[in-house]
Amino acid sequence: MTKDNFNLLINRLRIMSRGQPVYDERFHEGVNIIRGHNGSGKSTIADFIFFILGGEFDDWKDAASRCDEVQAEISAGPTTLTLRRSTDSKLAPIDVFFGDAEAAMRHALEGWERFPIRRRGTHDSFSQLLFRNLGIPEAQSEKASNITSHQILRLCYSDQRTPSSRLFRYEGFDTQGIREAVGDLICGISGYEAYEASLSLRDKQRELEEISGSLDALLKALPPDQALRTPQTLYAQMQELRAQKETLQRDAANVDSNVRPEEIRGFLKERTEAQARLEKARGRTTQIERTIVDDEYELREIEAFKKYLVDLSEKLKIAEKASEVIGSIKITHCPSCGKPVQSSENPNECDLCKSPRDLVQEKSRYGRIRFDIDAQIRETTQLEEHKIAGVADAKRKLRYLNREHETELAEFVMKYSGANGPREAYLASKNSAIGKTDTELKYLTRDLDAVLEVDRLRSRRTELDAEVQSLKNRAEALNKASQKRRNVALGRVSEIAVSLLHADMDRQEEFTAAAKVEFAFANDAMSVDGKVNFAESSNVFLKNSAILSLLLAAGVDREFNHPRFLLLDNIEDKGMELERSHLFQKLIVERATELTAPFQIIFTTSMMNPELELDDYVIGPAYTKYRRSLDL
């Protein structure tokens, strides 16, 4: 069986409300036209078709919201399937019966299998079932499995909700990567390989950034000597410590054979000497504590004297300023009797008592006093700094001596307390050494964990560097390999779209002179010779011509993965005039019926071309506001 036979076909559609059919029509291969007045429910039927084929949709209109189940008999390539799906959720699973609708109705429960809309673990999804029967390649990776029948239908369903400038059916959450992958897949360009490679590359690059960040943070947190250590070095040190521990444990176990009776006298002598050392150490500690107390007392006196000198310096500035002010006052009357005073002509004499004055000497006296005070402040500051350094040094020595004393005291208690015998002392020393060994092993184990993590991160970073480079090379090779197919496929689609635009009525100058129609799947856009802004009705004509061209190209090029199924619900949207709508309907029929491969096009119209009012094309009656599509 050739790929010409792999197409999607709706044979029958049933819409149920409370167990009763409110719509039940048969469709056929080729062109199917649903006609009726505006508001008669044509778009509702299109939405139900989209939904039963795997579309994720729940924005039902009022009449549609009263329906609770959709059923359909479809042909997916060589396989006939009967589907039913509840309308309670856009992700509602689809129940599938392998056979026609008549057989399915005879098996209300048995013979049905439920398929989720999206892939879940190892359970096949409805999209996988559909793709296999249509000969469409499946995604191999879990991350690429979001290319579902819903995504394929977005390029096969032109609805009224989507702006006419968009190529894909609109949805709130969308990505350029998915749109480009769907467009390439339908055109037969590299299947999922390029998309999966781009997803893998993005994930690997993100992981590489995280690994590099973690490694840098860990190396900064480690001391420099630990960052350079190797697991082998730490393993060797730990092995050496374990050997030492085993030796100490054997010595402790053989204490009775290792301690001789003549050691008793030595033990008592060692204990006396140890006590003397402890007392001497405590004496040194006490002496330093006294020194610190004395020095801190002196330091407080020095600080008080320094403060006195600083205050004195400030007062001297005030006195000097007052002297300058008073010296400049002219005495015109005697402060005792109030009689006028004859001012002296000599500036070096006092105006009042006519005694000689030496102004230079008076100013120099203040300078001398200020110099003496400043010198005392400097000397006091130096003495203060020296004393502070001495106290700090004494406190450091005190802390060191206290630690040493505590260690020696603990060893003394462990070795010489209790039974006061050499055997117990021997055991105490061995146990103390074992404890120290365990502590060192604990620290080395912690260091080993950090070093092993550094090694793991470095190794993983090296692997990721290689994987990222490999994926970049693969993506580049896939892009080069797929470019030829892209040119062929999109070139064929462009030729068909251009011919449709040339056949349009003379309403858009750019369409009449069009040379190329370009598709930007990633950007969800199309253009005519690089232009994208046209009249709204022309945008509708261009949009429908574009997705029709994809189907027509797939009808003559076997490498396309298009399901050769099309659903159009807006051919006269945005103010389309009657003659232009009739023309486009006629173009659909003429161009599609030229195909030799099977296909199905379903479109709705409120401006039915009377030339097409034939049983070969129309589905159901012409709907009105009194006879709506849903018989509720």
Side-chain angles (χ1 to χ4, degrees):
M1 185 172 291
T2 67
K3 197 171 182 179
D4 285 343
N5 300 101
F6 287 86
N7 69 296
L8 179 61
L9 185 69
I10 289 273
N11 298 322
R12 183 178 178 183
L13 179 69
R14 278 165 49 99
I15 302 170
M16 311 295 291
S17 176
R18 299 182 180 181
Q20 297 298 319
V22 294
Y23 180 90
D24 189 350
E25 294 291 347
R26 294 185 179 275
F27 293 75
H28 52 258
E29 185 180 309
V31 177
N32 299 256
I33 305 174
I34 301 173
R35 67 220 189 277
H37 295 166
N38 289 330
S40 61
K42 304 184 302 299
S43 297
T44 297
I45 302 304
D47 287 338
F48 277 121
I49 292 173
F50 172 69
F51 182 71
I52 193 60
L53 293 178
E56 298 176 12
F57 182 83
D58 60 2
D59 188 17
W60 302 110
K61 296 178 180 178
D62 290 341
S65 65
R66 295 163 60 185
C67 302
D68 46 41
E69 185 177 276
V70 190
Q71 302 172 359
E73 178 189 304
I74 70 170
S75 293
T79 306
T80 298
L81 303 170
T82 301
L83 316 175
R84 67 186 182 196
R85 189 180 184 190
S86 169
T87 61
D88 60 357
S89 167
K90 70 177 182 179
L91 294 179
I94 297 179
D95 293 328
V96 178
F97 180 86
F98 288 80
D100 59 29
E102 298 300 329
M105 290 179 186
R106 294 193 298 269
H107 296 76
L109 297 176
E110 296 181 356
W112 292 84
E113 185 174 351
R114 177 160 291 187
F115 290 85
I117 291 300
R118 300 177 184 176
R119 187 185 298 183
R120 294 178 182 174
T122 58
H123 195 287
D124 286 345
S125 68
F126 175 75
S127 298
Q128 290 173 282
L129 172 67
L130 199 63
F131 287 0
R132 289 169 192 169
N133 284 283
L134 292 175
I136 298 177
E138 291 182 60
Q140 298 303 312
S141 71
E142 185 68 24
K143 287 189 175 293
S145 64
N146 51 12
I147 299 181
T148 60
S149 59
H150 167 79
Q151 297 294 345
I152 297 294
L153 288 171
R154 290 181 61 212
L155 203 52
C156 302
Y157 178 25
S158 180
D159 68 333
Q160 294 185 17
R161 295 177 177 84
T162 301
S164 54
S165 58
R166 290 179 178 269
L167 190 58
F168 285 80
R169 180 183 178 277
Y170 174 77
E171 64 180 37
F173 177 76
D174 201 4
T175 66
Q176 288 186 330
I178 290 179
R179 290 195 299 266
E180 185 171 26
V182 170
D184 285 356
L185 177 64
I186 283 182
C187 292
I189 303 170
S190 74
Y192 291 88
E193 292 178 318
Y195 181 57
E196 290 179 329
S198 67
L199 290 178
S200 297
L201 178 59
R202 184 185 63 190
D203 291 343
K204 296 298 182 185
Q205 287 176 327
R206 184 187 299 116
E207 185 182 356
L208 179 59
E209 291 177 1
E210 292 174 355
I211 290 292
S212 298
S214 299
L215 179 59
D216 291 342
L218 184 56
L219 289 175
K220 289 179 181 178
L222 287 175
D225 59 330
Q226 289 189 25
L228 299 175
R229 298 167 83 177
T230 64
Q232 292 73 20
T233 303
L234 291 173
Y235 281 130
Q237 292 177 350
M238 292 172 71
Q239 186 62 31
E240 182 179 348
L241 285 172
R242 290 191 183 100
Q244 293 178 6
K245 182 178 177 180
E246 290 177 0
T247 301
L248 291 169
Q249 289 173 333
R250 284 196 301 270
D251 290 344
N254 298 323
V255 59
D256 292 326
S257 59
N258 291 334
V259 177
R260 297 184 299 273
E262 56 268 22
E263 293 181 356
I264 295 176
R265 288 189 300 273
F267 167 76
L268 296 174
K269 180 180 179 182
E270 289 176 3
R271 186 177 64 179
T272 301
E273 293 174 351
Q275 286 176 328
R277 287 195 299 272
L278 284 173
E279 292 174 359
K280 185 177 181 180
R282 185 56 193 163
R284 290 196 301 270
T285 302
T286 302
Q287 182 61 41
I288 291 179
E289 289 174 344
R290 290 173 180 169
T291 301
I292 292 173
V293 171
D294 293 343
D295 287 349
E296 287 180 339
Y297 177 77
E298 291 182 15
L299 186 59
R300 287 192 294 272
E301 290 188 334
I302 292 171
E303 291 173 350
F305 182 63
K306 179 181 176 181
K307 184 177 182 302
Y308 164 75
L309 291 175
V310 171
D311 291 342
L312 190 62
S313 176
E314 293 299 321
K315 291 177 180 177
L316 179 64
K317 292 178 183 178
I318 296 172
E320 185 176 9
K321 185 66 177 177
S323 175
E324 292 176 358
V325 171
I326 293 173
S328 63
I329 296 175
K330 290 293 184 179
I331 306 297
T332 58
H333 291 77
C334 178
S336 177
C337 64
K339 292 182 179 180
V341 175
Q342 185 67 34
S343 297
S344 174
E345 298 296 332
N346 186 354
N348 294 321
E349 284 184 351
C350 177
D351 284 341
L352 187 61
C353 65
K354 304 301 186 289
S355 298
R357 295 178 61 191
D358 190 342
L359 298 177
V360 174
Q361 185 178 3
E362 289 177 4
K363 292 183 179 181
S364 298
R365 182 171 67 254
Y366 283 106
R368 178 64 182 175
I369 296 172
R370 184 168 54 251
F371 177 79
D372 290 341
I373 292 174
D374 289 344
Q376 290 185 65
I377 290 175
R378 286 195 300 273
E379 291 174 359
T380 304
T381 300
Q382 291 175 356
L383 179 61
E384 180 186 32
E385 291 173 352
H386 176 73
K387 188 64 68 175
I388 289 173
V391 170
D393 184 60
K395 287 182 177 180
R396 281 194 297 271
K397 289 180 180 179
L398 179 62
R399 288 194 296 270
Y400 173 78
L401 289 175
N402 282 333
R403 284 196 301 269
E404 289 293 312
H405 179 71
E406 289 173 0
T407 301
E408 291 176 358
L409 181 61
E411 291 180 353
F412 179 86
V413 171
M414 182 180 296
K415 190 172 182 180
Y416 299 109
S417 296
N420 293 332
R423 183 180 185 279
E424 288 72 18
Y426 182 85
L427 285 174
S429 64
K430 297 300 179 183
N431 289 331
S432 176
I434 290 172
K436 291 180 179 179
T437 304
D438 286 337
T439 301
E440 292 183 31
L441 280 170
K442 178 181 177 182
Y443 289 137
L444 284 178
T445 301
R446 182 195 61 191
D447 295 346
L448 178 62
D449 290 341
V451 171
L452 286 174
E453 181 65 8
V454 168
D455 265 20
R456 186 190 70 80
L457 292 175
R458 282 174 174 162
S459 176
R460 182 57 182 155
R461 184 174 64 178
T462 302
E463 292 175 2
L464 287 171
D465 279 331
E467 291 176 11
V468 166
Q469 189 57 50
S470 175
L471 286 170
K472 285 182 178 178
N473 295 338
R474 176 169 172 74
E476 183 178 354
L478 286 172
N479 287 334
K480 290 180 180 178
S482 62
Q483 190 58 46
K484 182 178 179 180
R485 171 59 192 169
R486 180 176 286 106
N487 293 337
V488 170
L490 294 182
R492 187 182 299 275
V493 176
S494 176
E495 290 174 3
I496 296 172
V498 166
S499 70
L500 290 171
L501 296 183
H502 287 172
D504 185 20
M505 300 175 69
D506 189 13
R507 297 293 186 269
Q508 192 74 43
E509 181 180 351
E510 291 86 351
F511 290 4
T512 305
K516 186 177 184 180
V517 176
E518 293 182 291
F519 293 74
F521 295 115
N523 295 328
D524 196 8
M526 62 222 129
S527 62
V528 178
D529 298 330
K531 298 179 181 179
V532 295
N533 292 320
F534 308 105
E536 281 301 307
S537 58
S538 294
N539 282 334
V540 173
F541 194 97
L542 173 61
K543 159 71 174 287
N544 290 324
S545 297
I547 64 172
L548 175 61
S549 300
L550 285 170
L551 180 144
L552 297 176
V556 295
D557 187 339
R558 296 183 180 183
E559 292 190 40
F560 274 83
N561 292 309
H562 196 290
R564 294 200 298 275
F565 172 85
L566 197 60
L567 183 58
L568 302 174
D569 185 42
N570 69 341
I571 62 172
E572 58 250 359
D573 199 13
K574 309 299 182 185
M576 179 78 68
E577 59 187 293
L578 179 66
E579 293 81 2
R580 203 175 188 187
S581 174
H582 286 177
L583 171 63
F584 190 71
Q585 295 174 44
K586 186 177 179 181
L587 285 173
I588 292 174
V589 174
E590 289 178 349
R591 298 299 177 89
T593 52
E594 292 175 358
L595 299 177
T596 58
F599 69 93
Q600 186 177 59
I601 297 176
I602 302 173
F603 71 83
T604 68
T605 179
S606 59
M607 301 177 179
M608 181 66 190
N609 187 331
E611 296 179 16
L612 305 179
E613 187 79 47
L614 304 171
D615 291 340
D616 290 344
Y617 303 129
V618 297
I619 301 298
Y623 300 112
T624 67
K625 63 178 181 179
Y626 302 107
R627 187 178 184 180
R628 299 178 184 275
S629 61
L630 297 180
D631 184 11
L632 293 167

